[in-house]
Amino acid sequence: VTISYLSEVLKSTNMMNNIIKSILVLLFVLVFAGKNYAQSNNSLYRSELAEVEVKLREGNFPAAINILDQILVKYPTAAEVFYAKGLLLGQVGNLDGAITNVEEAYKIEPLVLYTNYLVELYKSKKDWKKAVEVLTAARAKYPNDTALARELLSILGFTDQLDQALVVYNQEKDKGNHTDTLDVALADVFFYGNKNKEGIALLLPWSGKSTLSSVYGRLGYGYLREKKAKNAMATLDLGVATSTDASLYL
């Protein structure tokens, strides 16, 4: 192993550490950027939060988390602090610790923001059952949030639960939430289950009408799976013209 090789490794490691630090600082600042994220009283512990940001910029993650713990001792119902701690733990690979803290944040204040991150954590652990449970509970609390339904459809499709996915899809249609994005989500479920014809049939009515690029991307994908290359290219051409998204060719 040469000195120059070790030097390059150290440079690469330092660059990655700097990237991680930047990500964590950004995440932390965003959590406390304003009331949009949580109805918080973070002015009560503003000085401690400033200290956490300093520690993150230094790369001293344990110290940053320790300060958050101290805040939580004083303010045990500070949901956004639990969430911030969960974000930090998740980014450094402590998924179980992240889940525990985000779950606590959600118990205190059941925001969709917390739900989304909790689902991502369970997906990282490949705990699909828990991810489905979280999304199902969130849909009951926020029945008009179609993004939750689409995420649930995606997981159900990936885990070969077509029947349950159809239940979710029909529930959304019954609520008047039938959109091109919903049909794209169900089409993905069909494609996961190798039901290419069903996926194509679902998306075909949107062809030429929808400006959503993923309609054409998924429809073209379905045609390719059916070995219909001409149909796929024609669909992509139409998609570029309709949605003005040239990346469909990539």
Side-chain angles (χ1 to χ4, degrees), residues 88-220:
L88 300 187
L89 291 172
Q91 290 299 313
V92 298
N94 185 349
L95 298 182
D96 290 332
I99 287 170
T100 297
N101 281 274
V102 180
E103 282 181 338
E104 191 61 35
Y106 187 80
K107 288 177 187 175
I108 296 167
E109 193 169 15
L111 299 180
V112 172
L113 175 71
Y114 303 159
T115 296
N116 290 338
Y117 187 49
L118 195 53
V119 169
E120 289 305 312
L121 289 169
Y122 280 126
K123 286 165 64 176
S124 296
K125 287 175 63 70
K126 294 182 170 49
D127 192 340
W128 310 112
K129 182 179 178 181
K130 288 294 294 184
V132 167
E133 289 176 2
V134 169
L135 284 167
T136 300
R139 284 186 70 227
K141 185 172 288 292
Y142 300 102
N144 295 320
D145 192 321
T146 56
L148 293 172
R150 293 195 300 272
E151 179 65 20
L152 181 54
L153 281 174
S154 176
I155 294 175
L156 291 172
F158 184 72
T159 53
D160 297 320
Q161 299 182 67
L162 175 58
D163 290 343
Q164 189 56 41
L166 288 171
V167 169
V168 173
Y169 173 81
N170 287 322
Q171 287 172 345
E172 291 301 307
K173 284 187 68 175
D174 291 343
K175 288 188 288 188
N177 294 333
H178 184 210
T179 62
D180 48 2
T181 54
L182 183 68
D183 279 357
V184 166
L186 182 61
D188 279 341
V189 174
F190 283 134
F191 294 143
Y192 278 136
N194 294 316
K195 294 182 178 294
N196 303 324
K197 290 182 174 60
E198 289 86 342
I200 291 171
L202 183 65
L203 294 177
L204 204 50
W206 293 105
S207 184
K209 298 178 182 177
S210 174
T211 59
L212 187 69
S213 62
S214 55
V215 166
Y216 303 94
R218 300 299 201 284
L219 186 54

Side-chain angles (χ1 to χ4, degrees), residues 52 60-70 85 88-89 92:
V52 171
N60 192 343
F61 307 137
I65 291 172
N66 184 55
I67 296 169
L68 291 177
D69 284 335
Q70 292 174 26
K85 184 181 174 185
L88 300 187
L89 291 172
V92 298

